[in-house]
Structures are given as structure tokens and as C-alpha cells.
Amino acid sequence: MQIPTLETERLRIRPLVLEDLEACHRLYVDIDWADTRLSEEANREQRRRWLEWTVRNDEQLALLYQPPYGDRAVVLKDGGGFVGLVGLVPLLAPFGQLPCFGRVEGARFSPEVGLFWAISPHFQRKGYATEAARALVQYAFETLKLGRIVAGTERGNSASMAVMRHLGMRLEENPFPEPPWFQVTGLLEASELFS
């Protein structure tokens, strides 16, 4: 099942297309996700290969009747300007370490459906991340019938934690030092929204 283009008051959340290359490349550079060891052109080439894979991934997952994992473009309804990315992604982490799942140090990894967003600095602090993520969450719960969505971030990323809170997520912090990238998780249960 492919996710259709979703619309909010100000945004369209649509499948990525190959013509999004320069906008995606610029986003990764602007939010410091580009590989600083590589040249500008090598980074653009990495982004091109990722974008080609992303477009094919969207089509192939639908043909295989698999979950519609992947990034989607967030664009302005008025003018179509590229705002950023949002998507559903597979997350594999030791969720059992979180207090709400038992607080077991060294818990085995388990899969969850993750929510992802990245907004261009020019469009940050305007509510676009929350607006786009909320549309995707609504689709995931109402159409895909997901029971839970999670999102992860670092302890210092107050902007991402604010988006999680605006979405109604409960924030849980990993009380253990390992793994170092597993720091803060936002959890949103369908039952909390539709009860």
C-alpha cells in the first residue's frame, strides 16, 4: 500500500520524486547531515543514490504488500516550496530498557514503527514539523491501523522533543548508557487517541 499525498491546512506530504534531488541535498547540508569528509559533489551523489532508492522503495514495498516505510516530501500548498521530509521508518532498538517497557538493562532489540522528520532551517519554528508529522500519524493510525508509533532523538534536541509533545507523545528516557544513540523516545499509542 502506498501512502497517498496527504494535505493539511498549509502543506502537502507527497512521495519523493527524482526532481527533489537538489532540495534534498540542500536540506542535508543545511541540517548538518551531509558527510563532512566528502566534497559537495560526492555528498550530492550520495543523496542522488539515496533518492533513487527511495523512489524505487516506495513502489516496490507496495508491490510486495509491505509496510510503506520511507521518507516523503513536505511541500507548501501555496507555491510547492520544499519544506523538508517526514516518513515512517523501521526502528530497531532495546525498547525494553525504557521505564514503560520494564527498564531492563541490556534488553534485546525489538522493532517498532518510527516517525521521522527533518525540516529545512528556513522553515523551522513555524509548526511545519508538527503539522506534517500529525498528518502522517493520523494516516498511520486510521488507515494503516497501527497500534503504536515511536520517535527517537538525542537528549539535547529540544526542538524534536517539542514536536513529540505537540503530537501527544509520552517521552521516555533510556536510563542506561548503552547504546549511546538510544537516548529519548517518544511513544504514541492509537488507544490514547481513539479511546
Side-chain angles (χ1 to χ4, degrees):
M1 163 183 283
Q2 287 181 301
I3 299 173
T5 296
L6 305 174
E7 292 197 5
T8 68
E9 182 181 333
R10 303 178 294 169
L11 303 172
R12 280 194 182 86
I13 297 94
R14 63 162 173 77
L16 283 160
V17 294
L18 297 178
E19 291 76 20
D20 291 322
L21 174 59
E22 197 53 39
C24 288
H25 171 66
R26 183 58 28 216
L27 172 67
Y28 272 65
V29 168
D30 290 347
I31 62 174
D32 295 325
W33 283 8
D35 187 339
T36 57
R37 299 167 299 172
L38 300 177
S39 68
E40 176 90 6
E41 196 49 47
N43 268 294
R44 184 177 284 103
E45 177 58 21
Q46 271 192 342
R47 202 60 42 228
R48 183 190 62 74
R49 288 193 313 267
W50 164 83
L51 184 59
E52 288 173 349
W53 172 83
T54 299
V55 170
R56 284 193 311 272
N57 182 62
D58 191 42
E59 297 165 355
Q60 292 303 309
L61 287 176
L63 290 173
L64 295 169
Y65 302 100
Q66 294 299 307
Y69 288 131
D71 299 334
R72 303 180 59 73
V74 178
V75 298
L76 295 173
K77 277 173 92 170
D78 183 19
F82 187 89
V83 172
L85 300 168
V86 67
L88 296 175
V89 296
L91 284 181
L92 189 63
F95 292 103
Q97 292 186 178
L98 298 176
C100 69
F101 292 124
R103 193 183 169 112
V104 176
E105 186 170 11
R108 297 187 72 73
F109 283 43
S110 59
E112 291 283 348
V113 175
L115 181 64
F116 162 84
W117 59 85
I119 302 297
S120 169
H122 177 72
F123 292 107
Q124 291 176 2
R125 294 181 174 78
K126 297 179 183 189
Y128 291 136
T130 302
E131 189 173 331
R134 184 172 284 127
L136 196 53
V137 165
Q138 182 177 351
Y139 181 85
F141 284 154
E142 292 178 0
T143 304
L144 299 178
K145 304 297 185 197
L146 293 182
R148 176 175 43 233
I149 292 178
V150 302
T153 194
E154 300 83 29
R155 287 181 182 93
N157 192 338
S158 59
S160 280
M161 286 186 276
V163 171
M164 291 177 192
R165 286 186 185 99
H166 288 229
L167 293 171
M169 289 183 154
R170 179 178 70 253
L171 272 59
E172 294 271 335
E173 191 167 328
N174 178 17
F176 305 107
E178 294 295 325
W181 50 264
F182 186 60
Q183 297 178 12
V184 176
T185 301
L187 299 109
L188 185 59
E189 306 277 346
S191 60
E192 295 170 0
L193 293 180
F194 301 108
S195 54

